[in-house]
Amino acid sequence: MYLDFFKLKELPFRLTADRRFYFLGTAQELAKAQIRNGLAEAQGCMLLSADAGVGKTLLIQDLLAAIPARYLVVQIRHPEMSITEFLQAVLAQLDEPTPATARAELLANLDDCLARQAAMHRIVVLVVDNGELLSPELLDEILGLPVRRSAGERNLRVILAARTPLEKVIAQSREQGRPSRVSLHIKLAPLKDADTRRYLEHRLSIAAGKPAQIFEDDAFVEFQRYTGGVPRLLNILADAALMLAFNRSRDRVNAIDVRSAVDQLQWVEFYSRASLPELPVEPVLEVEPVAQVQAGIAHISVEYESEIVADLDLPMGKLTIGRAKSNDICIDSQYISRHHCQVLTTPQFSVIEDLQSQNGILVRSRRVSVHRLQDGDEVLVGEHRLIFSRMDRSERGEITMVPRVPQALADVTDAAQTRLLRSSSDLRDAAEEEVD
């Protein structure tokens, strides 16, 4: 690697969350102040929303690290569970394990626990990360928790961190006449130009153990142009640019190195991706037997031990792959993470993105974070191989949206459910990246 060459003690742009590298930009400082005020002013449910990779999780970790002792924190990072499982998990973290399985009994136990904490002048802070993964029923339950008790006994605060689509779901609920139970909504924005420079220099200085100036002035312009100030994208691009400069034996990274890294990653300018037309926001949809005829030009096969175990046309939008049953393609394998990767398909291109999986995804024997798929590409995911093809209508003939899934799927389960691409922010997520 390039550590010795650039006089660094550790990698400066890892994708894994590390509070030592955390940088407070203008937007992050404002968001922290708003959440602190919300906790102090008994604002029951607070929503922290942002696009993927902007830094919601690290912001919350940084906030909780300095939270006063009177706050008792409960964190749920993977909320894909039923209402009763969720309540049991909350009670377990409050040292109130219970064999109860009925919702009413679990809520009564939670009420009693909150009352005991209130008697000790403690405030319980329930932090739910990855809120976009909540079922509608569990989301409704969580939003109602802070208002269950009388005004004098309300000692529960809820911080719900989620990607932008959840904010739109809540907005739709208001439009349908349901009262909003979100007392404070904070939208975390990407870094502006000046903060982008400070962010990159901050991480380099932490990694070097002293101030380090490795990037030329013109490089920062390119970083902002191709990442939009999204920290996760900055990490990916900065790491690639450092590697290219190292390979060229240059101890300073300039705009040429950054653009070369962009070409290697097959990225386009950030706001070109962001300006793609927004698709309607929909809940999770089942694939219908007949769908839009313009879709389906992308195709994917899943191969295991040299046999095709799943074979389907890709719809426009996002298809998730992982071990969890909520994925569109579920692969029950120890080498596959719960949420391993996703494929985003638009009329123009398809992109596969690693979702910070343990074993990653490999294209041409090289681990990648994001790869723009070409016809014939093979992607290694654990012990499974994804084979991608894309054809023009004139080459393909009639196109069907119905997934062609064989009866015998080995350990790959039904891939018929797909998720509709929710907004242009999802295009931004996958045409990149991507972090948090």
Short mmCIF file of all heavy atoms in Angstrom, two decimals, residues 196 200 215-216 218-229 233-234 237-239 241 253 258:
data_model
loop_
_atom_site.label_atom_id
_atom_site.label_comp_id
_atom_site.label_asym_id
_atom_site.label_seq_id
_atom_site.Cartn_x
_atom_site.Cartn_y
_atom_site.Cartn_z
N THR A 196 -15.46 20.25 2.46
CA THR A 196 -14.88 19.09 1.78
C THR A 196 -13.36 19.12 1.91
O THR A 196 -12.72 18.11 2.21
CB THR A 196 -15.29 19.07 0.30
OG1 THR A 196 -16.69 18.74 0.20
CG2 THR A 196 -14.49 18.04 -0.48
N LEU A 200 -11.09 16.27 4.06
CA LEU A 200 -10.00 15.46 3.51
C LEU A 200 -8.70 15.71 4.27
O LEU A 200 -7.96 14.78 4.60
CB LEU A 200 -9.84 15.76 2.03
CG LEU A 200 -11.00 15.32 1.13
CD1 LEU A 200 -10.86 15.91 -0.26
CD2 LEU A 200 -11.09 13.80 1.05
N PHE A 215 -2.84 16.68 -0.98
CA PHE A 215 -3.66 17.04 -2.13
C PHE A 215 -3.37 18.46 -2.60
O PHE A 215 -3.32 19.41 -1.79
CB PHE A 215 -5.15 16.93 -1.78
CG PHE A 215 -5.58 15.52 -1.45
CD1 PHE A 215 -6.33 15.27 -0.31
CD2 PHE A 215 -5.25 14.46 -2.27
CE1 PHE A 215 -6.74 13.99 0.01
CE2 PHE A 215 -5.65 13.16 -1.96
CZ PHE A 215 -6.40 12.93 -0.81
N GLU A 216 -3.16 18.61 -3.89
CA GLU A 216 -2.99 19.93 -4.49
C GLU A 216 -4.33 20.68 -4.50
O GLU A 216 -5.40 20.07 -4.40
CB GLU A 216 -2.48 19.80 -5.93
CG GLU A 216 -1.14 19.10 -6.07
CD GLU A 216 0.03 20.01 -5.74
OE1 GLU A 216 -0.22 21.17 -5.34
OE2 GLU A 216 1.19 19.57 -5.88
N ASP A 218 -5.96 22.09 -6.90
CA ASP A 218 -6.88 21.74 -7.98
C ASP A 218 -7.56 20.39 -7.76
O ASP A 218 -8.62 20.12 -8.32
CB ASP A 218 -6.16 21.76 -9.34
CG ASP A 218 -4.98 20.78 -9.41
OD1 ASP A 218 -4.68 20.13 -8.40
OD2 ASP A 218 -4.36 20.71 -10.49
N ALA A 219 -6.98 19.55 -6.91
CA ALA A 219 -7.60 18.25 -6.63
C ALA A 219 -8.91 18.41 -5.86
O ALA A 219 -9.87 17.67 -6.10
CB ALA A 219 -6.63 17.38 -5.82
N PHE A 220 -8.98 19.40 -4.97
CA PHE A 220 -10.19 19.57 -4.16
C PHE A 220 -11.39 19.94 -5.04
O PHE A 220 -12.53 19.55 -4.74
CB PHE A 220 -9.97 20.64 -3.09
CG PHE A 220 -8.95 20.25 -2.06
CD1 PHE A 220 -7.70 20.86 -2.03
CD2 PHE A 220 -9.24 19.27 -1.13
CE1 PHE A 220 -6.75 20.49 -1.09
CE2 PHE A 220 -8.29 18.89 -0.17
CZ PHE A 220 -7.05 19.51 -0.16
N VAL A 221 -11.15 20.69 -6.09
CA VAL A 221 -12.24 21.05 -7.02
C VAL A 221 -12.82 19.79 -7.64
O VAL A 221 -14.04 19.62 -7.74
CB VAL A 221 -11.73 22.00 -8.11
CG1 VAL A 221 -12.84 22.30 -9.12
CG2 VAL A 221 -11.21 23.29 -7.48
N GLU A 222 -11.95 18.87 -8.05
CA GLU A 222 -12.41 17.63 -8.67
C GLU A 222 -13.11 16.73 -7.66
O GLU A 222 -14.10 16.06 -7.99
CB GLU A 222 -11.23 16.89 -9.31
CG GLU A 222 -10.50 17.69 -10.37
CD GLU A 222 -11.44 18.15 -11.48
OE1 GLU A 222 -12.13 17.29 -12.06
OE2 GLU A 222 -11.50 19.36 -11.73
N PHE A 223 -12.61 16.68 -6.44
CA PHE A 223 -13.27 15.89 -5.40
C PHE A 223 -14.72 16.34 -5.22
O PHE A 223 -15.64 15.51 -5.16
CB PHE A 223 -12.53 16.00 -4.07
CG PHE A 223 -11.32 15.13 -3.95
CD1 PHE A 223 -10.07 15.66 -3.65
CD2 PHE A 223 -11.42 13.76 -4.15
CE1 PHE A 223 -8.95 14.85 -3.54
CE2 PHE A 223 -10.30 12.94 -4.04
CZ PHE A 223 -9.07 13.49 -3.74
N GLN A 224 -14.93 17.63 -5.14
CA GLN A 224 -16.28 18.15 -4.95
C GLN A 224 -17.15 17.87 -6.18
O GLN A 224 -18.33 17.53 -6.06
CB GLN A 224 -16.24 19.65 -4.65
CG GLN A 224 -17.58 20.26 -4.25
CD GLN A 224 -18.04 19.79 -2.88
OE1 GLN A 224 -17.26 19.29 -2.08
NE2 GLN A 224 -19.33 19.92 -2.61
N ARG A 225 -16.56 18.00 -7.34
CA ARG A 225 -17.32 17.83 -8.59
C ARG A 225 -17.87 16.41 -8.71
O ARG A 225 -19.00 16.21 -9.15
CB ARG A 225 -16.44 18.15 -9.79
CG ARG A 225 -17.11 17.92 -11.15
CD ARG A 225 -16.18 18.27 -12.28
NE ARG A 225 -15.79 19.68 -12.22
CZ ARG A 225 -14.76 20.21 -12.86
NH1 ARG A 225 -13.99 19.43 -13.61
NH2 ARG A 225 -14.48 21.50 -12.76
N TYR A 226 -17.08 15.44 -8.31
CA TYR A 226 -17.49 14.05 -8.55
C TYR A 226 -18.12 13.36 -7.34
O TYR A 226 -18.63 12.25 -7.47
CB TYR A 226 -16.29 13.24 -9.05
CG TYR A 226 -15.90 13.60 -10.45
CD1 TYR A 226 -14.83 14.47 -10.70
CD2 TYR A 226 -16.62 13.12 -11.55
CE1 TYR A 226 -14.48 14.83 -11.99
CE2 TYR A 226 -16.27 13.47 -12.84
CZ TYR A 226 -15.21 14.33 -13.05
OH TYR A 226 -14.87 14.69 -14.34
N THR A 227 -18.08 14.01 -6.18
CA THR A 227 -18.68 13.39 -4.98
C THR A 227 -19.83 14.20 -4.41
O THR A 227 -20.61 13.67 -3.61
CB THR A 227 -17.64 13.21 -3.86
OG1 THR A 227 -17.26 14.50 -3.36
CG2 THR A 227 -16.42 12.47 -4.37
N GLY A 228 -19.92 15.48 -4.79
CA GLY A 228 -20.98 16.31 -4.22
C GLY A 228 -20.81 16.56 -2.74
O GLY A 228 -21.75 17.01 -2.07
N GLY A 229 -19.63 16.24 -2.19
CA GLY A 229 -19.41 16.45 -0.75
C GLY A 229 -19.95 15.32 0.12
O GLY A 229 -20.02 15.47 1.34
N LEU A 233 -18.39 8.92 -0.50
CA LEU A 233 -17.85 9.01 -1.85
C LEU A 233 -16.46 9.65 -1.83
O LEU A 233 -15.57 9.26 -2.59
CB LEU A 233 -18.78 9.82 -2.75
CG LEU A 233 -20.19 9.28 -2.95
CD1 LEU A 233 -20.93 10.12 -3.97
CD2 LEU A 233 -20.18 7.83 -3.36
N LEU A 234 -16.29 10.64 -0.96
CA LEU A 234 -14.97 11.25 -0.82
C LEU A 234 -13.93 10.22 -0.39
O LEU A 234 -12.80 10.21 -0.89
CB LEU A 234 -15.04 12.40 0.19
CG LEU A 234 -15.68 13.70 -0.28
CD1 LEU A 234 -15.99 14.61 0.89
CD2 LEU A 234 -14.77 14.41 -1.29
N LEU A 237 -13.10 7.94 -3.45
CA LEU A 237 -12.34 8.62 -4.49
C LEU A 237 -10.95 9.02 -4.01
O LEU A 237 -9.96 8.90 -4.75
CB LEU A 237 -13.12 9.84 -4.98
CG LEU A 237 -12.52 10.60 -6.16
CD1 LEU A 237 -12.26 9.67 -7.34
CD2 LEU A 237 -13.44 11.75 -6.58
N ALA A 238 -10.84 9.49 -2.77
CA ALA A 238 -9.54 9.91 -2.24
C ALA A 238 -8.59 8.71 -2.13
O ALA A 238 -7.40 8.82 -2.46
CB ALA A 238 -9.72 10.57 -0.87
N ASP A 239 -9.10 7.58 -1.69
CA ASP A 239 -8.27 6.39 -1.60
C ASP A 239 -7.77 5.96 -2.98
O ASP A 239 -6.59 5.62 -3.15
CB ASP A 239 -9.07 5.26 -0.95
CG ASP A 239 -8.26 3.98 -0.80
OD1 ASP A 239 -7.38 3.94 0.07
OD2 ASP A 239 -8.50 3.04 -1.58
N ALA A 241 -7.41 7.89 -5.62
CA ALA A 241 -6.47 8.90 -6.13
C ALA A 241 -5.09 8.74 -5.48
O ALA A 241 -4.05 8.89 -6.13
CB ALA A 241 -7.02 10.30 -5.87
N VAL A 253 -1.03 14.62 -4.79
CA VAL A 253 -2.16 14.22 -5.62
C VAL A 253 -2.76 15.46 -6.26
O VAL A 253 -3.14 16.41 -5.56
CB VAL A 253 -3.23 13.50 -4.78
CG1 VAL A 253 -4.47 13.18 -5.62
CG2 VAL A 253 -2.66 12.24 -4.17
N VAL A 258 -7.04 12.63 -9.62
CA VAL A 258 -8.44 12.47 -9.22
C VAL A 258 -9.29 12.08 -10.42
O VAL A 258 -10.13 11.16 -10.34
CB VAL A 258 -8.98 13.77 -8.57
CG1 VAL A 258 -10.46 13.61 -8.21
CG2 VAL A 258 -8.17 14.12 -7.33
#
